[in-house]
Each structure stands twice: as C-alpha cells, then as structure tokens.
Amino acid sequence: MRAARWDGDPLFMANTTAIANSLTEAEALRQRLDELEAENIALRRAGIRQTRQIKTLQETLERNQAVASAATGLEMMRTFEQKKLEKHMRLLLENSPDMIILLDDKGNFSYCTDAFLKKTNIETFGQIDGMNCIDLFTRFMGEAWGEKMRELFQDAIREKIGISLEESIDIGACGEPRDYSIHFTPMYDAGGSLASSMLLLHDITELVRAKDAAESASMAKSTFLANMSHEMRTPMNAIIGMTLIAKASNALERKDYCLKKIEDASAHLLGVINDILDMSKIEANKFDLSFTTFNFEKMLQKVVNVINFRVDEKKQNFLVRLDRRIPRAMVGDEQRLAQVVTNLLSNAVKFTPDEGTIRLEATLLEEEGDSRLIQIKVTDSGIGISEEQQARLFNSFEQADSSTSRKFGGTGLGLAISKRIVEMMGGQIRVESKLGEGASFIFTLRAERAADAQPELIRPGVNRAGIRVLAVDDAPEILEYFEEIARQFGISCDLAADGKEAVALIEKKGAYDLYFVDRYMPNMDGIELSRRIREFGATDSVIIMISAIEWSRIEREARGVGVNKFLAKPLFASTIADCINECLGTEALVEAENAKPDETGVFAGRSLLLAEDIEINREILLTLLESTELAITCAEDGAEALRIFGEAPGKYDMIFMDVHMPEMDGYEATRRIRALGVPEAESVPIIAMTANVFREDIEKCLECGMNDHVGKPLDFDDVLAKLHKYIPVSPARTAKAVRAAT
C-alpha cells in the first residue's frame, strides 16, 4: 500500500501553517519572557543599587549633618572661649599694676591700661588716643628725658630688638619720683614692617628700697664689727696697760689709781659684751622677761646712782620727776626696765655737753584694775638728732651717724635692745628731736600694781603737822618738786629761790626744823647760807645740803659751817623721807635698814664644794668668800667633783658646779651625783655657774638636777644671795645676832 500524501491537502496545509505560526508566536513569547525576565533581573539589580545609593546618600547626609553640627558647636565653643579669654584679658589689663601701652607704627597711643591713666591723672583713653607717646611723657619729665627716650626707641626699632632700662621718674608730675623698670618692644608684621610697639613700666621702688636697705644693713654690720673691734680693744688696752703700770709702780696711790681704771675699763667691756649677748638673744628669738615684785622708785635710784658720777664729771643738771600716783610696788622685769632707763640716761649724758640739762620724768597715763600704763621720758639738751637719723635710730648695728661711735663710743645696739624690751613690756618707744636742739626719748610700759602694801615713807609716830621745812634752790623745778613732795607727806614747806630770799623768810618766820639747801646758787651759795642760818642761833635745826657734786669733795667745807647731812641730786621722795625720819629720832632704824649686812664669819662651819676648771676663777671666788669663813674644797673637773663628793657626801652644804669642764662636764657630774643613792646626794643644793644665760641653758641646768644658776662673770652680791638662800647661817653667827638684838 502506498503512503498517503498530505502536502497537497489544503486542510493539512492550513493546519501546518497554523502550527508553524503558533510555534513562531510561542518562540516570540518565550523570547519576550526571557527579555522580561532579564529586564526584571536588571530592574532588581538596579533597585538594589538605588537602595544602596540611597542608603549611602542618607549616611553621607547624616555625616554631613553631624560634621555641620560639630562645626557649629566648635564655632560656638571657640566663640565662648574667645569671649572668656577676652574677658580675662580685659580683667588682667584693667587690674594690672603695671602700666602697659600699645603704640602704632608712628609711636602714637592705640591702647593703655587703666594703671597708666590713674597714674597720669588722665580721665579717659580718648583724651590721649592717637597722641604721640614721647610728647605726652615730655609734659611730665621734660624735654631732655623725652629726647633720650625717643632716641632709645628709634634705635630699638632700627635694630629690631627690645630694650630694658631702669629710671627714676615722676609720672604724672605728682612730686614723688619712683623707680621703674621700663621695657620697649617693637613688633613687626609678616613682611618685616613695623606694625606696633609695646611699652611696659613696672614699679620697682620697693624692690630698690629693699636692695638699698639690705646693702645698708650689710654696710652697717661691717661698720658694727669695726666698732666692736674698737669698743673691745680700747678697754682691753686700758686693762693691760694699767696692769703693767701697776706692776711697775711701788706707790700704793699709783696702784689704786690703776686698779680704778682697770675696774672702769672692765665694766665698760662687760657692758659691750652684754649688749652683744642681748642682741644675739633677740636675733635668735630667745629674749625673755622675768617678772618679780620691785620698788619702782628704788629701781630708778639704782640707775641714777650708776650714772651720777658721769653727770658729776660733766657738771650737768640732772632733774627727776616722778608722778606720785605711780605705785611704789610694781610687778615686772626690774632688771630689763632698769636696762632701758640706764641706756637712755647714759646716751643723754654722753651726747649732752658740759653743764647741760637732763630730765627724767615718769608719769602714770592709765590705770585699769591692777594694770598701769606708765610713760618714762628722758630729755636732754644735747646735740639733737635729724629726721633722717631718727629713721634708723632703733635699727640693730646702727647709730644716728657713723661718726658717733668714733667720737662718743658705743655699740649701736642699745636702742635696738631697748626697743625690743619695751615692746615685750606692752609699750612703745619713740624719739622727738631736732638737730642741735636736744632730744626726748619717750617710752611706755605696762606693769601690774603689786598686791603687797608698801609702808608709808614717813614713819608712824612722826608729828607731821609740827615739822617746819625750808627748801632753798635756784632751780624752779626743784622747788616745784619739793612742794609736791611736801604736799604728799602732809608737812609744811616754805620755798626760797636763793639765799637772800631764804634769809628774809627766816627773819620773818623764825628758825625752821629742817633746811634743804642747794650747794651752788648765785649771789649767796649754800655754804654762805648755812653759815648765816647758824648765826641766827638755829642750833637745834638740821641743815641738809643738796648737790650733784660728790659729797667727799665738799664735806669739809660744809661741815665747817654747820651742815649736818648731805643729799645727792637728783632728788627722790624716799631719800627726802629718809632724811626727815633720821632727823626725827629714827636714824638708827633707817641706817640699820639701809646698811649693807656684815658678811664676816656668816658661814663659819659650813662647807662648799667648788667645781671649776679655770684656776683664776677658783682664785677669785675663794678670795671673795674668804671673809664669810666658808670652808671651800676645789675640784678641777666634773669627775673629780663626783669623786670628792662621793667620798664624803654629808660634808658639803652646797656645790657650785661649772657647766663646761674637761673630762666630765657639770651636767653629767650633777646627774651622777644625784644617782649616788644616798640622801645627801639627792638633797644637796647644786648651783650652776656658766656664761650661757639663755633660757634653754638655764632650763637644761634645772633638767639635769641643778637647783639654781649664777651667770658669769660672777656678781658677788648674786653669789651671796644664792649662799643665803640655800645655806643656813652659822649657829655662832645666829647667837651673836640674838645677843646684839637683846
């Protein structure tokens, strides 16, 4: 069978065509789908990229916003800090003590601190804004100074360097030049051209003064050391020289003369050493006061007695006035107060010419409870002190004039020490003086009134109302003082200014009981007046001659005309009262109270151990105590003293122990004696002997077991006081005293 043929069949052909078309369309669709799929994939990929771009853009935007925000904050912070800095800079410039000036390139003002405006008395900067700096300074300092500054500034600008100099100028023409450190600094721009300049003026007046003061103090100390060499060598030369003269002479009178000069020179040398020691205590802040009860008037009397011989030598008039309201018994440091008064009076005598006048006045200024504020004034008619000299008068190591020490002597420490003492006593010291017109040194102090009542100066039983007294003196101050004292005592006292007036009063009123007659008066002196008084038949009257001259020099002449007693000037209420008491039958009692006790044999039967390594010191003490009949055993060092005492501990009533000795010092010897383990070792009084008189030195003596302290060089009265304090007087002496009393 033969296969059929379809290619001729129309239906077949149509179907075939349709199928072909369908396949074509399907292929086209498939391609389209592939395209769409590709497009979709591309779109998805594009979308991812866009998302990423968007995200990146967002991040970039956020970062930019953060940067912008940070920049804004930084700008704000920078503005704040800048304003803060500007504020502080403004405050700094406004309150700067230095005068700071900014100048433009032509040297004209472009800025200045308030300090400059105040100093120049310019109200506002606008008054000088744009003005040439040198022109303004020329107004104050003159053309010459202005030209000098102009040249210096131009040189600095030309050489492109800053300059510094020190000048004493009167800025503002106020009449008070001050020292300034001046700094001029030219400032240049990036191109090297002058843009502006800065001028700074720093006040260094106080620094310059401090430097001058330091240099002056250094020079003063050098001068002081030179003066000390002179002050110490001069008395040493006198001591050595007079010793050689005395040894070479066989005449007793000549030896006595030499010994007196040696004594005076030694006292002067000791005074110099004491001044140096006191100043060293002050410098080391170890200067202390010691308070005791003392008699104010008696203290002044002791001071006056010390300097009276110098007053006598120079024939000076010396007057003392004491306010009767000042308590006689006071609590204070008597020794230091006496030191101040002695120093002031010694200076007054030293710097007052022959026959000049010196006054000592004590006045009560204030009283509150037991506290008293007292003023003491020492006035002289001497050389005076200029204002410039007064400014450094109380400085250590200085005197008013460098020539003073050469002409008058002295350490230059006395017033500095006195100032320190007065301040420690709650007071102040000052000077009032003009050159050539004398000087007044015035100081105050606070002291307590002592609780113990002092006895009346005029003794009980004296018929005050029945006493008639005549005081004769040509010095109005003396008569005024007599009148005041008589009123204080409650006695009747007439006054006469000279011998003629005194004779007239005697003729009118009859004889007086007591006459106080000055030795030296014009027309009719005290000797002639005393003779006339006796001619009136006043045989029972007592004539008391008063004078600053030493009694031994006028005694024979005065006794020859009937003078009974002598009273030294200056006068004190207590000495006048003593004369009145003596003349009214209580003389024996007064003399017994004032007499120096007889020390002969007072310590007979008592024993002393003396530990001292220097032979001459042992010899001096043995000689001084010879009359007391005290048995003294000597040891040359602490170890020997320990051995001697240990061998016979019950033998010794007291030990004088030098502090500085070889082998074993006094401190260690004392400790070992106290540790011996016997009752006598624990109870025996041990007294330190040393030149170390600072408070801690004394405390060190007490801490090691010593009972008391005496300073070197030894004062005989001080040694006797310690002996009387710790050793009972001998039984034989006590029995003798009892028999004498009965």
Side-chain angles (χ1 to χ4, degrees), residues 163-382:
I163 60 170
S164 297
L165 66 154
E166 293 182 5
E167 289 280 320
S168 179
I169 54 179
D170 184 8
I171 297 178
C174 57
E176 184 184 354
R178 296 183 67 83
D179 295 292
Y180 291 92
S181 175
I182 302 175
H183 304 271
F184 177 77
T185 305
M187 296 179 286
Y188 301 87
D189 59 21
S193 300
L194 178 69
S196 61
S197 301
M198 182 184 74
L199 181 63
L200 184 146
L201 294 92
H202 177 64
D203 192 330
I204 58 171
T205 304
E206 300 306 320
L207 183 62
V208 170
R209 290 176 181 174
K211 178 185 175 185
D212 291 344
E215 291 175 350
S216 176
S218 178
M219 185 178 296
K221 288 192 177 184
S222 298
T223 305
F224 166 76
L225 291 175
N227 289 343
M228 285 305 95
S229 176
H230 170 77
E231 284 295 315
M232 299 180 85
R233 287 176 179 273
T234 299
M236 281 303 301
N237 182 60
I239 291 169
I240 295 170
M242 286 296 167
T243 301
L244 293 174
I245 293 172
K247 288 172 65 177
S249 175
N250 294 322
L252 184 61
E253 183 178 343
R254 184 71 167 171
K255 289 181 182 291
D256 287 342
Y257 171 82
C258 291
L259 288 173
K260 179 64 171 65
K261 292 297 182 182
I262 290 171
E263 182 183 17
D264 292 344
S266 300
H268 175 76
L269 181 59
L270 181 59
V272 172
I273 294 171
N274 285 337
D275 278 352
I276 296 172
L277 289 175
D278 282 345
M279 200 65 235
S280 67
K281 293 182 203 175
I282 291 173
E283 294 286 333
N285 199 28
K286 296 176 180 178
F287 196 83
D288 297 300
L289 301 180
S290 178
F291 295 94
T292 58
T293 299
F294 68 97
N295 186 299
F296 183 76
E297 183 178 302
K298 294 292 185 185
M299 178 274 298
L300 291 179
Q301 281 183 267
K302 293 176 185 176
V303 172
V304 168
N305 291 337
V306 169
I307 68 159
N308 245 348
F309 80 97
R310 290 286 294 132
V311 174
D312 185 14
E313 285 179 349
K314 301 184 74 171
K315 298 180 181 179
Q316 294 167 334
N317 299 313
F318 187 14
L319 306 173
V320 176
R321 291 295 300 271
L322 304 184
D323 190 335
R324 62 185 181 87
R325 298 174 301 162
I326 297 176
R328 280 184 291 149
M330 307 285 287
V331 177
D333 192 324
E334 178 182 10
Q335 180 183 355
R336 292 303 183 187
L337 177 56
Q339 182 178 351
V340 176
V341 179
T342 300
N343 182 60
L344 297 183
L345 286 176
S346 297
N347 284 344
V349 174
K350 184 191 300 183
F351 298 117
T352 299
D354 292 359
E355 300 183 1
T357 299
I358 299 167
R359 288 182 173 83
L360 170 64
E361 300 173 82
T363 307
L364 180 66
L365 297 182
E366 179 185 303
E367 52 185 328
E368 183 178 346
D370 287 334
S371 177
R372 299 291 185 272
L373 180 64
I374 299 171
Q375 175 182 284
I376 297 179
K377 180 178 182 180
V378 176
T379 305
D380 64 65
S381 58

Side-chain angles (χ1 to χ4, degrees), residues 716-728:
F716 182 55
D717 291 334
D718 193 17
V719 171
L720 283 176
K722 302 304 180 188
L723 291 172
H724 280 290
K725 181 177 180 180
Y726 293 102
I727 301 180

Side-chain angles (χ1 to χ4, degrees), residues 239 262 266 608 610 612-628 630 632 634 656 689 711-717 719-720 723:
I239 291 169
I262 290 171
S266 300
L608 172 74
L610 171 62
E612 169 63 67
D613 63 309
I614 299 177
E615 182 180 359
I616 192 170
N617 290 343
R618 296 196 301 271
E619 184 180 349
I620 290 171
L621 195 58
L622 288 169
T623 304
L624 290 176
L625 297 178
E626 185 176 359
S627 63
T628 67
L630 185 65
I632 302 177
C634 294
F656 269 130
M689 296 189 303
K712 289 184 178 181
L714 297 176
D715 182 282
F716 182 55
D717 291 334
V719 171
L720 283 176
L723 291 172

Side-chain angles (χ1 to χ4, degrees), residues 88-98 100 111 113-115:
H88 289 167
M89 184 62 69
R90 186 175 63 257
L91 289 173
L92 176 64
L93 293 174
E94 288 175 353
N95 294 279
S96 172
D98 293 333
I100 303 173
Y111 173 81
T113 56
D114 290 346

Side-chain angles (χ1 to χ4, degrees), residues 389-396 415-416 419 429-431 441:
Q389 293 167 344
Q390 291 176 36
R392 61 177 185 269
L393 199 58
F394 294 99
N395 294 343
S396 303
L415 290 176
K419 181 176 184 291
I429 187 169
R430 70 182 193 276
V431 60
F441 284 86

Side-chain angles (χ1 to χ4, degrees), residues 469-474 478-479 482 496 498-499 502 506 514-521 524-531 533 542-548 551 554 561 563 565-567 569 571:
V469 178
L470 175 62
V472 188
D473 199 301
D474 61 316
I478 297 291
L479 296 182
F482 259 110
D498 54 35
I506 296 170
L514 295 177
Y515 296 89
F516 289 93
V517 179
D518 184 29
R519 168 64 181 87
Y520 294 99
M521 294 183 293
M524 185 186 298
D525 63 14
I527 297 294
E528 176 62 21
L529 175 59
S530 297
R531 188 184 64 77
I533 290 173
V542 177
I543 301 176
I544 302 166
M545 183 154 287
I546 56 177
S547 177
W551 174 235
I554 61 174
V561 295
V563 173
K565 299 185 73 63
F566 173 76
L567 190 59
K569 287 185 177 181
L571 301 174

